[in-house]
Amino acid sequence: MSHDGQLNAFTASWLTQVSFTPPLVALGVRKDSHSLVMLQRGRVFTVNLLGKEQKPVAEHFVKPATTIGEKLKDVPYRPGKTGAPVLTDAIAFFECEVREIANQHGDHALVIGEVVEAGVHRDEPSLTLMDTGWHYGG
Ligand SMILES: Cc1cc2nc3c(=O)[nH]c(=O)nc-3n(C[C@H](O)[C@H](O)[C@H](O)COP(=O)(O)O)c2cc1C
């Protein structure tokens, strides 16, 4: 995501499509994360899909930002159409503009984004949660 010239990124698994027309995706985002604040302010994000060999990249983005921008220092990226970072080594990406942020009651916000740009860098299978052996649950 991008806000006021600052960039951040985090590893996410709670993502799903929620509309064909317009193309919308919903992302569950921890309310105590740095990323939610940036999404509320900057209103843009990129979903970068990683390849099977890129678990270390996912591991890198799991840690909370100590300083905003610091997690992207050693990872190649370019600013996308929305300004949010497109990771150069990701296999594919889609860029979104935030249309709604909901879920007053839960510990994660539901961030609904409209896909405004997308691309494929390499036509390869993506890294899944199952591949990592990790889980994201309470
Ligand atoms: C396997 C895995 C999946 C995750 N999925 C999500 C997710 O869907 N949404 C979320 O908010 N955090 C998720 N996280 C946690 C974030 O990556 C983590 O809270 C990160 O530190 C947030 O960074 P930030 O504070 O810089 O925003 C996941 C973590 C792991 C290990």
Side-chain angles (χ1 to χ4, degrees), residues 8 11 13-14 28-30 34-35 62-65 71 129 136:
N8 195 33
T11 296
S13 54
W14 289 4
V29 184
R30 284 173 75 116
H34 300 88
S35 296
V62 160
K63 59 178 189 209
K71 278 193 273 184
L129 189 59
Y136 184 58

Side-chain angles (χ1 to χ4, degrees), residues 1 7-11 46-51 54 56-58 60-61 71-80 83-95 119-122:
M1 61 262 4
L7 303 175
N8 195 33
F10 71 102
T11 296
T46 305
V47 175
N48 289 280
L49 301 178
L50 299 176
Q54 291 182 296
V57 181
H60 173 76
F61 284 109
K71 278 193 273 184
L72 281 149
K73 265 205 328 232
D74 304 322
V75 180
Y77 69 90
R78 64 174 173 84
V86 173
L87 302 188
T88 318
D89 296 336
I91 61 169
F93 67 94
F94 42 98
E95 295 188 60
V120 176
H121 295 143
R122 299 191 307 281

